Amino acid sequence: MASSTSFAPFVFLFLVIGAVARPLHPLPSKGHHGSRQPLQTWRPYNIAHRGSNGELPEETRPAYLRAIEEGTDFIETDILSSKDGVLICFHDFKLDDTTDIAKYKEFADRKRTYEVQGENVTGFFTVDFTLKELKSLRVNQRFSFRDQQYNGKFQIITFEEFISIALDAPRVVGVYPEIKNPVFINQHVKWSDGRRFEDVFVETLQKHGYKGSYLSKDWLKQPAFIQSFAPTSLVYISNQTDLPKVFLIDDITIPTQDTNQSYWEITSDKYFAYIKQYVVGIGPWKDTIAPVVNNYVVNPTDLVARAHAHNLQVHPYTYRNENKYLHFNFSQDPYVEYDYWINKVGVDGLFTDFTGSLHNFQEWTSYKSQDASKLLHKIAQLVSPYK
């Protein structure tokens, strides 16, 4: 890993250039005669975790549009269901923490207590509200230390609305939806003809043209990864779609939500040999790859190397710019953290709340097959309009 002192002058140079010049690779507009810039596949993926939610309330249309504007490769979302079986983009099975549900007196009697993953949880659950009712709510910023000015302004969006955002983008932008809490959803929402949550999820993607194995012609046209913490859901849909799937892995203390397997079981070589029949990668919490002691990252484990040995990609989560999330090794500098994970640990994609920061870092540091003279020529071209 480059040290913060050796890395700083390099970043400073490009910060100066970036401040006075146009973007290194401008996003194409809709006026490009119908052609769209393809997805980049030669460097780790920039995955907009719930959109650019470091700036705007998560999983809302503006958060996704901002992420696309900032250069993300994939927009990520969590899929749940309304009472009437419409798939929505929302992270929590409860509405309490990120909507203004508390101010609606007409919904006061909807508070329930349900068992979720072995624990009793009380609140207002998405599965007790119709889509029309959910659309009447407004989304708030999750974290109090982030910008609160957009609270109460944006609606919950549906899965189909989310897909339309990606398809309408001026370049190829992938989608990265999660089958969220499938055990709970299947317990409380029923669809016709015996279908289950996973069936409706896949049908929605297929309806909008998403198909194809990883890096196939069809996939590159409309890229998608399907993710879940529930391995049985990923195995179940493997017969329905060949879209690439990613198995999410939680903290070492939390078992899988459907099979009750431990972290150590699901990260063993034996399990990797099994799950790679169904998935192309894993999405672990980043602190399980690089353990933290007294807020310092210590030597990374061999998890990435072993996953790669099984031909599995590794897309860790979640990268955030705020000081409270940046371990002391990184000197409160998200670019130093990105340098560590991309160039030392060697991950294949990163879930980030700040897509613009990751995009800028990669644009400034990953010049594929360019020598110094070409780089200097590019810099001169960028600066010349401002002389």
Side-chain angles (χ1 to χ4, degrees):
M1 179 187 75
S3 69
S4 59
T5 53
S6 63
F7 184 65
F10 184 75
V11 171
F12 176 76
L13 169 65
F14 283 99
L15 280 172
V16 173
I17 296 168
V20 298
R22 62 184 181 272
L24 301 180
H25 299 290
L27 303 182
S29 70
K30 292 187 177 180
H32 280 219
H33 306 290
S35 63
R36 297 201 300 168
Q37 178 182 324
L39 178 75
Q40 70 79 25
T41 57
W42 56 271
R43 67 187 183 191
Y45 293 123
N46 180 333
I47 306 162
H49 180 243
R50 309 179 203 170
S52 188
N53 84 90
E55 301 175 65
L56 292 152
E58 64 186 43
E59 314 221 16
T60 60
R61 176 180 290 273
Y64 291 121
L65 292 175
R66 179 67 60 82
I68 292 170
E69 178 186 359
E70 292 176 334
T72 191
D73 299 314
F74 287 85
I75 52 174
E76 187 264 355
T77 190
D78 306 275
I79 303 301
L80 292 171
S81 178
S82 65
K83 180 179 181 178
D84 46 348
V86 180
L87 302 191
I88 61 169
C89 298
F90 202 75
H91 179 268
D92 300 355
F93 41 75
K94 293 194 310 172
L95 298 161
D96 304 52
D97 292 338
T98 57
T99 75
D100 56 358
I101 183 70
K103 77 177 189 181
Y104 292 78
K105 294 181 180 179
E106 64 269 35
F107 296 146
D109 63 349
R110 301 287 183 91
K111 184 172 284 191
R112 301 284 188 273
T113 299
Y114 291 130
E115 182 180 319
V116 184
Q117 292 179 241
E119 295 184 4
N120 287 330
V121 180
T122 299
F124 297 96
F125 292 78
T126 68
V127 295
D128 292 320
F129 293 80
T130 65
L131 177 63
K132 183 179 179 180
E133 291 170 333
L134 291 172
K135 282 286 190 180
S136 72
L137 308 178
R138 294 297 180 266
V139 181
N140 295 330
Q141 173 59 254
R142 179 179 295 273
F143 297 114
S144 61
F145 49 82
R146 290 180 175 171
D147 193 349
Q148 304 293 304
Q149 69 173 307
Y150 302 105
N151 288 354
K153 293 187 176 181
F154 309 133
Q155 288 184 323
I156 293 172
I157 63 173
T158 67
F159 191 13
E160 292 197 277
E161 289 171 326
F162 166 82
I163 288 171
S164 73
I165 293 169
L167 295 181
D168 289 342
R171 57 190 171 82
V172 175
V173 172
V175 296
Y176 208 130
E178 178 183 345
I179 302 172
K180 193 76 176 178
N181 297 109
V183 175
F184 177 79
I185 296 297
N186 281 318
Q187 287 174 341
H188 294 277
V189 182
K190 302 301 177 184
W191 287 270
S192 62
D193 303 322
R195 292 179 302 160
R196 51 193 266 188
F197 179 32
E198 294 91 337
D199 298 319
V200 181
F201 178 97
V202 172
E203 288 168 8
T204 304
L205 288 169
Q206 292 173 334
K207 173 183 174 181
H208 292 279
Y210 287 92
K211 59 184 178 180
S213 58
Y214 181 58
L215 295 182
S216 67
K217 182 178 180 181
D218 286 331
W219 187 87
L220 288 170
K221 183 179 178 182
Q222 291 185 209
F225 285 107
I226 296 173
Q227 55 173 332
S228 184
F229 284 99
T232 55
S233 289
L234 297 172
V235 172
Y236 176 78
I237 66 171
S238 64
N239 291 324
Q240 300 176 354
T241 178
D242 57 353
L243 287 169
K245 304 157 193 72
V246 172
F247 176 39
L248 299 174
I249 299 174
D250 215 323
D251 180 11
I252 61 173
T253 64
I254 300 175
T256 55
Q257 60 182 248
D258 54 344
T259 58
N260 200 38
Q261 291 173 282
S262 72
Y263 172 85
W264 305 111
E265 290 179 84
I266 61 176
T267 58
S268 67
D269 284 319
K270 181 179 179 180
Y271 195 79
F272 282 169
Y274 160 74
I275 201 67
K276 74 177 183 181
Q277 302 173 73
Y278 306 101
V279 305
V280 301
I282 59 172
W285 181 42
K286 61 188 177 75
D287 285 7
T288 66
I289 298 174
V292 177
V293 177
N294 296 325
N295 204 32
Y296 282 92
V297 170
V298 298
N299 290 332
T301 68
D302 63 353
L303 181 63
V304 173
R306 290 193 298 105
H308 285 168
H310 288 276
N311 201 30
L312 292 169
Q313 293 193 35
V314 182
H315 300 171
Y317 64 91
T318 304
Y319 296 84
R320 298 179 168 118
N321 284 13
E322 291 95 354
N323 287 356
K324 66 182 296 181
Y325 296 114
L326 290 166
H327 302 305
F328 292 152
N329 314 56
F330 306 132
S331 304
Q332 280 68 58
D333 187 340
Y335 296 124
V336 176
E337 182 181 34
Y338 288 139
D339 181 55
Y340 173 83
W341 283 94
I342 292 172
N343 296 317
K344 179 174 181 178
V345 181
V347 298
D348 308 290
L350 303 90
F351 290 87
T352 177
D353 285 1
F354 294 88
T355 50
S357 294
L358 177 54
H359 180 72
N360 288 340
F361 173 80
Q362 292 193 287
E363 291 289 271
W364 296 335
T365 59
S366 57
Y367 284 85
K368 186 176 68 170
S369 304
Q370 292 193 61
D371 58 27
S373 63
K374 290 181 180 178
L375 178 56
L376 289 173
H377 178 68
K378 183 69 174 180
I379 293 170
Q381 285 182 314
L382 293 170
V383 174
S384 62
Y386 299 90
K387 290 181 178 178

